[in-house]
Amino acid sequence: MTNLPLTVAVAPNRLSLAKFARRSPSAAIGATLVILILLVALFAPWIAPYDPIAQDVANRLAPPSAAHWFGTDGFGRDLLSRLLYGTRPTLMLLAIVILLTTPVGIAIGIIAGFYGGLVERVLMRITDIAMAFPKLVLALAFVAVLGAGLVNGALALALTAWPAYARQTRSETVALRKSDYLAAAEMMGITGPRLLLGHVLPLVLPGAIVRMALDLGGIILIAAGLGFLGLGVRPPTPEWGAMVADGTQVIFDQWWVAATPGAAILLTSFAFNLLSDGLRDLMDPRNG
């Protein structure tokens, strides 16, 4: 019977969120675009009309046509096929960064906010040091030392992305630490990791999810920047940033070579920004 009030209190919030989701155009449009991008990455081998790395020098820099909808690049490779395959390294980098940063940042924030004292001061000073490094500069230095590659770029971005999650989660945990909700849980004998995982984590996770969605657009731009500088995925693997770099050499005469991957970067960042904006509205208690 002691658990019943907690269940009843949470149920109305879930219902209100479901109702508000149907009234959030940003969330609906963003989620639709993100799902389409994921489907493109998944089914790229079946929907791409050509081999993305097959060269046809006789058709190099061909304009958009019925045979090549988006034209060809300087090696005669079909831009549409390379564009479709280019979603894969971009989404893979996003997945690696999120899987590395979100759990680490949330764990550090919960521990620092809940225990306080010396533990909080040490963890937050480490967080401050990590936040002092600019993401792109550290990514460039990291990749320059270890070599170009998708994993190295993702590791470099992960090293500077987790502090934002730690600080946000710590602030939310501090507000929860003296709440009646946690006091009631402790009176029921719930302490230690069980309290943190079962009662604190579910309450701070929505904010971390919104933060994650907000960061995805920026991560896509930084990943494209690494590819543009030749520090991303190694050629001839299709990657949007590298495709833009190839197109800058002929941008005034064959504009489609750079415009096509640039539009893909813009659309993908826009989709994740729309999704994050909708999630922020959905999870705002003032809208419930």
Side-chain angles (χ1 to χ4, degrees), residues 15-169:
L15 292 177
S16 62
L17 288 176
K19 293 178 181 179
F20 188 77
R22 292 193 293 268
R23 303 195 305 267
S24 178
S26 297
I29 296 174
T32 301
L33 292 175
V34 170
I35 291 174
L36 289 176
I37 294 171
L38 292 174
L39 291 176
V40 167
L42 183 62
F43 295 103
W46 292 275
I47 61 179
Y50 298 94
D51 185 342
I53 62 175
Q55 300 183 13
D56 184 7
V57 181
N59 289 322
R60 63 185 301 269
L61 299 176
S65 62
H68 301 280
W69 289 4
F70 292 164
T72 61
D73 64 4
F75 295 95
R77 297 172 296 194
D78 181 65
L79 284 177
L80 175 59
S81 301
R82 292 182 62 80
L83 192 72
L84 297 176
Y85 273 89
T87 57
R88 292 187 159 192
T90 300
L91 296 180
M92 182 64 68
L93 185 141
L94 285 179
I96 295 175
V97 173
I98 293 303
L99 289 176
L100 290 176
T101 58
T102 307
V104 172
I106 292 176
I108 292 177
I110 289 178
I111 294 173
F114 186 80
Y115 291 104
L118 180 61
V119 173
E120 180 182 17
R121 289 195 294 270
V122 172
L123 292 178
M124 287 299 99
R125 295 300 78 76
I126 295 175
T127 302
D128 292 338
I129 293 173
M131 291 186 71
F133 294 97
K135 293 182 180 180
L136 183 57
V137 174
L138 181 61
L140 292 175
F142 195 89
V143 173
V145 172
L146 297 183
L150 176 67
V151 176
N152 291 341
L155 290 175
L157 294 176
L159 286 176
T160 55
W162 66 266
Y165 297 90
R167 278 207 164 275
Q168 176 177 312
T169 305

Side-chain angles (χ1 to χ4, degrees), residues 161-230:
W162 66 266
Y165 297 90
R167 278 207 164 275
Q168 176 177 312
T169 305
R170 176 255 177 194
S171 299
E172 296 179 357
T173 305
V174 169
L176 292 170
R177 185 168 56 189
K178 298 181 180 179
S179 65
D180 295 337
Y181 172 72
L182 291 186
E186 291 177 340
M187 290 177 62
M188 295 169 58
I190 303 175
T191 58
R194 185 183 172 193
L195 179 66
L196 298 181
L197 295 176
H199 293 75
V200 178
L201 178 61
L203 295 177
V204 301
L205 193 58
I209 293 175
V210 174
R211 176 81 195 195
M212 177 186 68
L214 288 169
D215 286 345
L216 291 178
I219 294 174
I220 291 173
L221 295 178
I222 295 177
L226 290 176
F228 183 86
L229 296 174

